[in-house]
């Protein structure tokens, strides 16, 4: 049986009962079709290969996410195989087998979806044991040794938080970012020499639960003796420092950084 036929059969088996009473909900086959369109739109042409993204993060309204998430990884594995087969049919190359993530996001309208993609050769996607399809042995996917990700899927209703324990970072950092207003008030984040990306996206360095900030909202980078350099990453609602909207700005400890409902201040640790 072809992968497409298997996908259609699996989708029908899993979702017919769940969705037949509510035709207004987003249908699983719509997700599959949009994933393929997104894959094709984001292909990258190299010297001898056409590469397509191997990570797909799908954001749905909770009313659509809930029924789908209840079925666990089975559907996402079928989606991964379906994308793999479509890429093979078009002669495209993945860095690894495609990984699909589904997230609930109240900023997405019902029956709509937002898909973000990424190229990452460090992931490992496990389709399960006993797979016999020829596609598993195809050279389209090159072996990866890293165990950075052990599963195909992430069902996530609330995005992860990367907010560290305050005592740990205060002992090891000269400067820290303190959240003094907003949903994450009271938390702090260590500032080192590396850039810090702030937003709602689960892969940001600092993930905030503020519905008015963008998925990738703001970057903070060390400016050495000049302070800290802020770069607004094309956010919808903007970034403000001491009441003034900025796109790129060098800030100093004590300045009020407003993003969405949140106010952040760079502080110097009193223990240093």
């Amino acid at each position: 049986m072809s992968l497409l036929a298997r996908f259609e059969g699996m989708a029908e088996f899993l979702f017919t009962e769940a969705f037949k009473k509510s035709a207004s909900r987003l249908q699983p086959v719509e997700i599959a079709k949009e994933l393929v369109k997104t894959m094709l739109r984001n292909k990258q042409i190299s010297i001898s290969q056409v590469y397509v993204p191997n990570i797909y993060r799908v954001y749905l309204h909770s009313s659509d996410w809930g029924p789908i998430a209840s079925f666990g990884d089975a559907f996402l594995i079928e989606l991964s195989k379906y994308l793999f087969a479509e890429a093979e049919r078009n002669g495209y190359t993945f860095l690894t087998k495609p990984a699909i993530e589904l997230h609930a996001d109240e900023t997405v309208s019902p029956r709509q979806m937002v898909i973000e993609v990424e190229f990452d050769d460090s992931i490992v996607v496990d389709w399960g044991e006993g797979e016999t399809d020829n596609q598993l042995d195809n050279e389209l996917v090159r072996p990866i040794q890293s165990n950075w990700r052990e599963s195909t899927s992430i069902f996530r209703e609330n995005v992860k938080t990367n907010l560290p324990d305050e005592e740990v970072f205060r002992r090891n950092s000269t400067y820290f970012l303190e959240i003094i207003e907003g949903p994450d008030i009271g938390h702090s984040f260590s500032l080192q020499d590396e850039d810090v990306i702030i937003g709602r996206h689960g892969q940001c360095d600092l993930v905030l639960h503020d519905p008015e900030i963008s998925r990738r909202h703001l970057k903070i980078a060390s400016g050495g003796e000049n302070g800290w350099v802020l770069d607004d990453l094309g956010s919808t609602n903007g970034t403000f420092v001491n009441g003034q909207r900025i796109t790129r700005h060098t800030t100093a400890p004590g300045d009020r950084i407003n993003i969405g409902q949140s106010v952040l201040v760079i502080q110097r640790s009193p223990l240093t």
Side-chain angles (χ1 to χ4, degrees):
M1 181 182 295
S2 71
L3 279 176
L4 178 58
R6 286 180 54 192
F7 170 77
E8 291 174 342
M10 174 68 75
E12 181 178 4
F13 173 76
L14 289 177
F15 295 100
T16 297
E17 293 300 320
F19 285 90
K20 69 181 182 181
K21 294 182 180 180
S22 180
S24 63
R25 286 178 179 164
L26 187 70
Q27 299 297 305
V29 69
E30 296 177 74
I31 298 176
K33 290 179 178 178
E34 193 61 34
L35 282 170
V36 172
K37 292 179 183 178
T38 301
M39 176 183 71
L40 298 177
R41 284 196 302 267
N42 288 277
K43 63 181 181 292
Q44 300 288 327
I45 301 174
S46 69
I47 297 175
S48 60
Q49 301 283 352
V50 177
Y51 291 96
V52 288
N54 62 316
I55 298 178
Y56 296 78
R57 299 184 182 93
V58 184
Y59 296 87
L60 307 174
H61 189 269
S62 60
S63 62
D64 296 313
W65 177 88
I68 295 175
S70 66
F71 292 100
D73 285 353
F75 176 56
L76 299 191
I77 292 174
E78 290 299 319
L79 282 176
S80 177
K81 294 178 181 179
Y82 179 55
L83 273 183
F84 188 100
E86 286 297 301
E88 184 180 49
R89 185 174 66 84
N90 285 279
Y92 299 154
T93 301
F94 285 112
L95 297 178
T96 70
K97 288 179 284 189
I100 316 297
E101 302 177 4
L102 293 184
H103 304 263
D105 190 330
E106 294 305 314
T107 66
V108 178
S109 300
R111 287 193 52 79
Q112 300 297 316
M113 70 187 86
V114 174
I115 301 178
E116 296 179 346
V117 299
E118 186 177 341
F119 293 84
D120 189 338
D121 66 358
S122 67
I123 70 167
V124 175
V125 175
D126 183 8
W127 283 347
E129 297 180 358
E131 182 60 59
T132 59
D133 285 296
N134 292 333
Q135 285 83 356
L136 286 176
D137 298 322
N138 193 284
E139 289 298 321
L140 186 64
V141 172
R142 59 186 179 86
I144 300 297
Q145 301 302 319
S146 170
N147 290 321
W148 179 80
R149 182 174 299 165
E150 298 177 352
S151 172
T152 299
S153 63
I154 297 177
F155 279 104
R156 187 180 298 156
E157 185 166 14
N158 294 312
V159 296
K160 71 179 183 181
T161 177
N162 291 346
L163 299 171
D165 180 80
E166 293 191 20
E167 290 303 318
V168 172
F169 81 76
R170 285 182 186 271
R171 288 196 301 266
N172 294 283
S173 177
T174 302
Y175 292 95
F176 62 94
L177 189 66
E178 183 178 7
I179 305 169
I180 63 172
E181 292 182 21
D184 300 291
I185 186 172
H187 291 286
S188 301
F189 186 86
S190 172
L191 292 177
Q192 306 290 344
D193 292 333
E194 297 82 6
D195 295 351
V196 175
I197 304 297
I198 302 174
R200 289 187 295 107
H201 196 294
Q203 297 300 315
C204 288
D205 301 299
L206 175 56
V207 180
L208 299 183
H209 303 88
D210 185 335
E212 294 185 10
I213 70 173
S214 298
R215 292 182 177 86
R216 287 170 55 87
H217 194 112
L218 175 67
K219 181 176 77 172
I220 299 181
S222 174
E225 296 181 356
N226 295 323
W228 299 87
V229 179
L230 309 181
D231 281 294
D232 184 272
L233 301 176
S235 65
T236 300
N237 293 323
T239 299
F240 299 80
V241 176
N242 298 330
Q244 299 296 316
R245 185 162 186 164
I246 61 98
T247 53
R248 183 178 177 85
H249 179 79
T250 299
T251 189
D255 288 343
R256 292 172 61 91
I257 304 168
N258 291 72
I259 54 174
Q261 302 173 12
S262 302
V263 178
L264 298 72
V265 178
I266 296 175
Q267 307 277 22
R268 185 181 179 92
S269 173
L271 300 182
T272 59

